[in-house]
Amino acid sequence: MDEALLRSLTPGVLTVLVRRGADFTAAEDAVQEALVEALRVWPADQPGDAKGWLVTVAWRKFLDATRADTARRRREDRVEKEPAPGPAPAVDDTLQLYFLCAHPSLTPASAVALTLRAVGGLTTRQIAAAYLVPEATMAQRISRAKRTISGVRFDRPGDVATVLRVLYLVFNEGYSGDVDLAAEAIRLTRQLAARIDHPEVAGLLALMLLHHARRAARTAPDGSLVPLAEQDRGRWDTALIAEGVGILQAALARDRLGEFQAQAAVAALHADAPTAEETDWVQIVEWYDELARLTDSPVVRLNRAVAVGEADGPRAGLAALAALDPALPRHAAVAAYLHERDGDPATAARLYAEAAHKASNLAERDHLTRQAARLNARRVR
């Protein structure tokens, strides 16, 4: 049973139902029932037209649920037509579904959360971590979003900014290694860049390509994380870097700076440095200043503290860090790194251990635990 095939077909099937008039929540339920039916039937008799089969079954499930709900009888004339027989068109509807989920009746934050959950395949926990809120809070936000669009016609697609935010978060979750969604996010962003001439779309694509270029060097053969400064730059994908830099330069030349272009500029400066020691940290701090102005994001200010520590010394980095909330994710890890560079291994070891306890994925936890152990072993000697 090819579960990967089912996952790849789900957005397109959901889009077909929404376009035929199903409200989003009912369509999502019907598609889930169709997937359950496929898991039961396909191992013995997989259809030749997998998408067409799922569309037909999901539509019938939706019709059954609609007919059973007397409050929705007024819509039966619109939903009773069966889809035309024959193969479903081989069209990738995923990007269109991203726009439909970014509905104008939702706030941007709710639209992003709903799309990540329904289309991106992320769990509520992963979405909550990306937004720095408790999981229960995010679960309530997603539920409210579903209620808001229940019964709403999806004939007004959402705005580009919301779709970009979703694609960015999907890429980040995939790049973290917890769920492999990075390549899919790049594919969809390429499609978006081909359709929309917008510098921030180009900036996001450049950012993804520059980060993805380093992916092979981010982990050791045993699966452990390799920090940027220790990566084998010979393993970086120079073709992706060249493409990303070219796209970024064209976007910046239009003089309409946005946060994704600024982030891509930071990534380009890292990619341009032949060695970690030759990184232009002064320019990176300047780009983080631009990012802080554009976003007022505490995560940006945390990354800026690292850059300040590299450009002006660890004491300056710690001073920048002191202005931030210690509850921020990775705050302890950044503090540990800066204290180690400042010659305080005892504090650094304690903070690395604290950061490991708070880490959101196993690879990061293992890396931080090893850092703490390394410093503790050095103190014992």
Side-chain angles (χ1 to χ4, degrees), residues 333-349:
V334 170
Y337 173 73
L338 292 171
H339 276 289
E340 181 181 0
R341 287 199 59 225
D342 194 40
D344 186 356
T347 300

Side-chain angles (χ1 to χ4, degrees), residues 218-270:
R218 290 183 72 246
T219 54
D222 63 359
S224 60
L225 286 180
V226 180
L228 176 61
E230 300 172 19
Q231 288 176 15
D232 177 0
R233 298 182 180 223
R235 298 184 66 197
W236 290 2
D237 188 326
T238 54
L240 281 184
I241 290 173
E243 182 185 4
V245 169
I247 292 170
L248 173 63
Q249 288 175 339
L252 291 174
R254 300 176 67 175
D255 198 23
R256 290 167 56 193
L257 184 64
E259 63 171 299
F260 294 122
Q261 295 168 74
Q263 286 193 55
V266 171
L269 286 167
H270 283 299

Side-chain angles (χ1 to χ4, degrees), residues 35 61 71 83 113 121 124 153 265 327 335 348:
L35 294 177
K61 297 286 187 185
T124 304
R153 283 192 62 83

Side-chain angles (χ1 to χ4, degrees), residues 172-368:
N172 278 348
E173 196 59 49
Y175 194 68
S176 74
D178 199 16
V179 179
D180 190 8
L181 296 168
E184 172 69 357
I186 291 173
R187 183 183 71 84
L188 292 173
T189 307
R190 284 191 186 278
Q191 287 186 12
L192 187 60
R195 297 182 191 181
I196 299 176
D197 182 20
H198 192 291
E200 273 293 84
V201 176
L204 178 59
L205 179 57
L207 175 64
M208 289 179 175
L209 294 175
L210 289 165
H211 277 306
H212 209 60
R214 303 199 302 258
R215 187 166 189 175
R218 290 183 72 246
T219 54
D222 63 359
S224 60
L225 286 180
V226 180
L228 176 61
E230 300 172 19
Q231 288 176 15
D232 177 0
R233 298 182 180 223
R235 298 184 66 197
W236 290 2
D237 188 326
T238 54
L240 281 184
I241 290 173
E243 182 185 4
V245 169
I247 292 170
L248 173 63
Q249 288 175 339
L252 291 174
R254 300 176 67 175
D255 198 23
R256 290 167 56 193
L257 184 64
E259 63 171 299
F260 294 122
Q261 295 168 74
Q263 286 193 55
V266 171
L269 286 167
H270 283 299
D272 188 54
T275 66
E277 292 73 24
E278 295 173 88
T279 303
D280 189 343
W281 287 105
V282 173
Q283 269 206 74
I284 289 176
V285 172
E286 291 173 356
W287 278 112
Y288 275 126
D289 287 339
E290 288 288 347
L291 265 172
R293 179 182 62 81
L294 289 165
T295 68
D296 196 28
S297 164
V299 174
V300 167
R301 296 186 186 281
L302 186 69
N303 291 332
R304 180 185 179 278
V306 176
V308 169
E310 299 290 352
D312 300 327
R315 294 283 175 90
L318 287 167
L321 189 65
L324 301 178
D325 184 354
L328 272 174
R330 296 189 172 86
H331 184 284
V334 170
Y337 173 73
L338 292 171
H339 276 289
E340 181 181 0
R341 287 199 59 225
D342 194 40
D344 186 356
T347 300
R350 175 179 58 78
L351 288 168
Y352 275 130
E354 178 185 329
H357 180 71
K358 296 177 179 177
S360 59
N361 64 69
L362 184 59
E364 184 179 356
R365 186 179 307 127
D366 288 346
H367 170 72
L368 294 167

